[in-house]
Amino acid sequence: MRGPTDIDGEILESELFCLDLLEIKNPAFVKDLDVAQMEALSADIREFLIQSTSKTGGHIGPNLGVVELTIALHHCFNSPEDKFLWDVGHQTYVHKILTGRANRFDTLRQHDGLDGFPKRKESEHDVWETGHSSTSLSAAAGMAIARDIRKEKYHVLPIIGDGALTGGMALEALNHIGDMRKNVIVVLNDNNMSIAPNVGAMHNVLGKLRTSGKFKRAKKDIEAAMKKIPTAGDKIAGAAERIKDSIKYLLVQGTFFEEMGYTYLGPVNGHDYNDLITNMEFAKKVKGPVLMHVVTTKGKGYQPAESDRIGNWHGTGPYKIETGDFIKPVGGPPAWSAVISEAVLELAQTDERVVAITPAMPVGSKLEKFATAFPDRFFDVGIAEQHATTMAAGLAALHMKPFLAIYSTFLQRAYDQVVHDICRQELNVIIGIDRAGLVGADGETHQGIFDIGFLRGIPNMTIMMPKDENEARHLVKTAYDYDAGPIAIRYPRGNGLGVNIDTEMKAVPIGSWEMLSTPVDVAIVTFGTTIPMAVEAVMELKRQGIQAGVINARFIKPLDKAMLHDLMKREIPIITVEESLLKGGFGTAVLEFAEEHGYDQAVIRRIGLPDTFISHGSVEMILAEHGISALGILNTIQKILPEKQIRA
């Protein structure tokens, strides 16, 4: 942009001006921009986002779609006095730029760098933290109540995506806000996508509204026309109101939001400043709740992202701007998600009872092949984890074999359904816990480090995790054959190890561990992603004359009691290692076993993650920081066996 500006406040020259995004400190300057200047700012921000995320990766598609919407919000409202609650937390890059954080975008989603989601500690303009969807409306209800009790005056604006409205919590809050008649402006960002294309009846309602024309404009014209009708008492006035309602129903099929108590504005063109500003200014004057239906295009302004209808450009790693090609290794081992889903598909080919369910993550969980092969047995329920979980229970109650593919971080949203509907009834649901363990750049809200702790204490639950792709297939077969209740198989983000795959899948005895090397001086008991580092530590110990053994504890629950008895009777130190929280984790289960069976002299040391939320950064860096590495294992053993003079 061209010409001088005071980026902390007002525009010094109202016509053409120059703006360095890296120097922005305060969004107040946006208020003084005219439409042409805001359009120029939009172009600058899009170029900045494309350049920046091509190096760091990030949620480029969602943010390109909300450039004009975000600028218009800061133009019409006063953040942080007015409360912006970004339900889709990964759509806040433009908001971060306008609130003075562009100069940190080279650290985006990196260790100690700029968070990829709203972060209250990062800026006063981030008033609500969101990584999981569908929470903003409930929080907005709370803030509106607090505002009114204190007799304060400001706007509360939850900005929620159309995909998030499939979440039960969002619908509950939508209903309550409408019933309370609180002054809340709900900005519905409708881009016809969540991560993958949206599904469900709510999606269809919004589709009808998108094509219904400017309902509010038509309604206003109707009201103006009625004022010209001579009033002859309540009877004619009542008839006029009925006529108005009839035309409303004719204009808009299923006036869902109006019936819930909202003033509906839209559809609004989310890339047209005149349309956005006109409706926002009107919304500020309305008494009671408003729903402003803004239609945007995900990936707007960058052809590879804009044309994506699958979800590949929702969140990316680095990419080549010119071609849109992602920068990642070619070939290599398959993704863990693909290994699991293809094993399920293989079983489905011979058993029509096998069905697959996902809450809006068909691409991430690699279920596209299953969906293509068996469209009548594949169910994407949208962002509705609770529904997906109980739906799986209903299928299992009638002797189907449901496979519920769900990220660890999203499974915690369905905890009651796992306890009440699945485990309590001993239903044979196979829960595929995707992204189990650390996930890196997505940070605190997405780390899959809680599921062991919250599942292990539930009766009837079996939990397992494979050491490699081959064992993963066998554990899928184990889950398929199991009929004694729910069974969960955990698997991490990323790719496998590249091991050879057995042709035939074979079930593994429930609760059985595997001794990968014989322990003489010390035993390292671990599972999944931490087995390679344990093997590395054993090799180093062997060079130093210490014979350590590695136990593949592929069943986290139930424990292999026979092997634990054997290990503890050897009276050697036991080191447990896990890529999850220590509190209530696998190591705690081993301690509980020792206490229950009277091994009071057992030397047990646990390695895992501390009692805190783990921030974003590379998985390797986070693991090393917390001693979850070959070096960390050596250091722990050195403290136990100092007489051996271990060189860590």
Side-chain angles (χ1 to χ4, degrees):
M1 302 175 73
R2 299 160 293 280
T5 178
D6 175 3
I7 54 179
D8 287 311
E10 63 178 309
I11 299 299
L12 300 182
E13 292 184 7
S14 61
E15 296 182 1
L16 300 177
F17 64 100
C18 173
L19 182 62
D20 183 350
L21 299 181
L22 299 180
E23 296 299 323
I24 293 174
K25 298 294 188 297
N26 189 306
F29 77 94
V30 177
K31 294 184 172 304
D32 297 315
L33 302 184
D34 59 28
V35 169
Q37 291 168 334
M38 285 188 283
E39 288 174 347
L41 177 59
S42 299
D44 285 355
I45 288 177
R46 280 199 169 90
E47 181 180 356
F48 176 85
L49 286 174
I50 293 167
Q51 291 285 346
S52 179
T53 57
S54 72
K55 300 169 185 172
T56 64
H59 292 93
I60 181 63
N63 284 282
L64 290 175
V66 297
V67 174
E68 289 84 6
L69 173 59
T70 308
I71 293 172
L73 283 167
H74 281 287
H75 178 83
C76 295
F77 296 93
N78 302 310
S79 176
E81 290 79 18
D82 293 327
K83 312 304 179 189
F84 295 178
L85 293 83
W86 294 90
D87 190 278
V88 187
H90 51 248
Q91 282 187 340
T92 55
Y93 292 8
V94 185
H95 171 74
K96 291 188 180 226
I97 291 169
L98 295 177
T99 54
R101 288 169 274 179
N103 59 0
R104 297 189 62 204
F105 261 73
D106 60 337
T107 70
L108 180 68
R109 292 160 36 102
Q110 298 173 37
H111 192 56
D112 292 330
L114 193 67
D115 200 294
F117 297 92
K119 196 70 180 169
R120 284 157 56 90
K121 292 179 181 178
E122 201 175 88
S123 171
E124 64 178 345
H125 296 277
D126 293 1
V127 300
W128 184 248
E129 295 185 9
T130 45
H132 297 171
S133 77
S134 311
T135 67
S136 65
L137 297 181
S138 295
M143 291 184 183
I145 292 170
R147 173 199 62 198
D148 294 349
I149 288 174
R150 295 171 177 170
K151 295 181 171 54
E152 296 172 337
K153 300 291 183 183
Y154 53 80
H155 296 286
V156 177
L157 298 104
I159 302 113
I160 185 167
D162 50 321
L165 281 184
T166 61
M169 185 175 175
L171 294 174
E172 291 169 14
L174 197 69
N175 175 62
H176 189 215
I177 292 169
D179 181 63
M180 290 192 298
R181 304 300 234 183
K182 290 292 182 185
N183 289 342
V184 174
I185 301 172
V186 178
V187 180
L188 173 58
N189 174 31
D190 177 7
N191 63 19
N192 201 22
M193 294 272 286
S194 50
I195 293 176
N198 285 328
V199 297
M202 178 62 73
H203 166 68
N204 295 331
V205 167
L206 294 176
K208 292 176 182 178
L209 289 173
R210 282 185 217 111
T211 58
S212 67
K214 298 292 185 185
F215 167 60
K216 261 298 155 198
R217 186 182 303 159
K219 184 177 177 183
K220 188 175 181 180
D221 292 343
I222 293 165
E223 291 170 346
M226 286 184 192
K227 289 179 181 177
K228 299 177 182 178
I229 300 174
T231 301
D234 292 339
K235 189 173 182 180
I236 292 179
E241 189 65 29
R242 287 194 296 275
I243 291 169
K244 185 176 76 172
D245 286 343
S246 297
I247 297 174
K248 177 177 77 173
Y249 280 100
L250 180 66
L251 285 168
V252 180
Q253 300 181 53
T255 53
F256 179 80
F257 300 110
E258 292 268 342
E259 294 296 345
M260 291 189 75
Y262 290 78
T263 297
Y264 173 82
L265 302 179
V268 177
N269 184 340
H271 304 294
D272 183 314
Y273 279 113
N274 288 316
D275 206 4
L276 284 165
I277 292 169
T278 297
N279 281 277
M280 287 181 186
E281 292 298 335
F282 181 79
K284 289 161 69 172
K285 301 172 185 175
V286 174
K287 299 298 182 183
V290 175
L291 188 134
M292 194 173 90
H293 181 188
V294 180
V295 179
T296 61
T297 300
K298 195 170 184 177
K300 179 74 172 176
Y302 182 52
Q303 193 278 328
E306 191 170 338
S307 61
D308 173 34
R309 306 266 41 97
I310 299 175
N312 289 331
W313 281 89
H314 173 78
T316 76
Y319 55 91
K320 297 178 181 177
I321 296 175
E322 299 77 14
T323 62
D325 294 333
F326 298 123
I327 301 172
K328 58 183 179 181
V330 178
W336 284 100
S337 302
V339 172
I340 298 294
S341 63
E342 288 178 16
V344 174
L345 173 58
E346 191 173 321
L347 294 169
Q349 290 167 345
T350 58
D351 188 348
E352 65 179 8
R353 296 178 303 157
V354 177
V355 301
I357 305 166
T358 178
M361 303 303 294
V363 177
S365 292
K366 306 296 183 187
L367 286 168
E368 304 102 309
K369 290 182 181 178
F370 192 107
T372 300
F374 300 108
D376 58 335
R377 286 195 267 152
F378 171 74
F379 304 95
D380 178 358
V381 302
I383 301 176
E385 294 86 1
Q386 294 168 310
H387 165 59
T389 304
T390 298
M391 175 178 160
L395 283 158
L398 294 185
H399 310 294
M400 298 293 282
K401 284 283 185 179
F403 171 68
L404 172 61
I406 186 167
Y407 288 14
S408 172
T409 185
F410 300 140
L411 179 61
Q412 63 202 37
R413 310 190 82 187
Y415 184 69
D416 180 63
Q417 287 66 35
V418 173
V419 173
H420 183 273
D421 300 330
I422 294 180
C423 292
R424 190 179 55 83
Q425 300 187 82
E426 296 185 64
L427 294 172
N428 186 212
V429 175
I430 304 169
I431 306 176
I433 306 180
D434 202 341
R435 270 59 168 180
L438 296 169
V439 297
D442 282 337
E444 289 183 5
T445 57
H446 283 60
Q447 309 283 21
I449 58 177
F450 302 104
D451 59 87
I452 292 176
F454 69 69
L455 291 178
R456 196 174 65 79
I458 308 175
N460 302 324
M461 174 58 77
T462 295
I463 312 168
M464 50 191 182
M465 188 171 190
K467 70 178 186 294
D468 56 36
E469 307 94 299
N470 192 46
E471 188 169 69
R473 287 170 49 81
H474 295 320
L475 292 185
V476 170
K477 181 64 162 60
T478 303
Y480 169 78
D481 287 354
Y482 188 63
D483 283 317
I487 189 164
I489 176 170
R490 307 177 77 243
Y491 44 100
R493 185 176 190 172
N495 296 345
L497 306 180
V499 303
N500 293 327
I501 301 294
D502 295 336
T503 303
E504 182 183 355
M505 289 188 285
K506 297 179 181 179
V508 175
I510 297 293
S512 65
W513 292 355
E514 178 186 26
M515 191 174 286
L516 299 179
S517 55
T518 304
V520 174
D521 299 310
V522 62
I524 305 170
V525 185
T526 187
F527 54 90
T529 53
T530 48
I531 285 180
M533 64 181 68
V535 171
E536 182 183 345
V538 166
M539 293 174 64
E540 177 58 35
L541 290 167
K542 185 177 180 180
R543 284 191 285 269
Q544 300 183 31
I546 297 169
Q547 190 169 340
V550 177
I551 311 302
N552 171 21
R554 56 197 171 194
F555 284 91
I556 300 162
K557 182 184 179 184
L559 304 175
D560 188 331
K561 294 183 179 180
M563 189 171 290
L564 273 175
H565 278 301
D566 175 60
L567 291 174
M568 293 195 182
K569 287 176 181 177
R570 293 175 187 234
E571 297 184 348
I572 59 175
I574 296 173
I575 312 297
T576 67
V577 187
E578 56 193 303
E579 190 181 314
S580 60
L581 286 188
L582 286 175
K583 293 280 188 181
F586 170 74
T588 301
V590 174
L591 286 173
E592 291 168 354
F593 176 89
E595 187 271 332
E596 289 167 8
H597 294 279
Y599 293 108
D600 299 332
Q601 304 305 312
V603 177
I604 301 170
R605 297 292 183 270
R606 299 173 302 146
I607 297 175
L609 294 167
D611 183 22
T612 187
F613 289 101
I614 305 299
S615 190
H616 50 281
S618 76
V619 172
E620 294 75 15
M621 185 180 297
I622 293 170
L623 288 173
E625 182 179 332
H626 296 290
I628 308 173
S629 62
L631 179 59
I633 294 170
L634 291 171
N635 285 333
T636 299
I637 294 174
Q638 184 178 36
K639 295 174 184 176
I640 300 173
L641 301 175
E643 72 279 3
K644 297 287 185 178
Q645 295 184 341
I646 298 169
R647 297 185 303 276

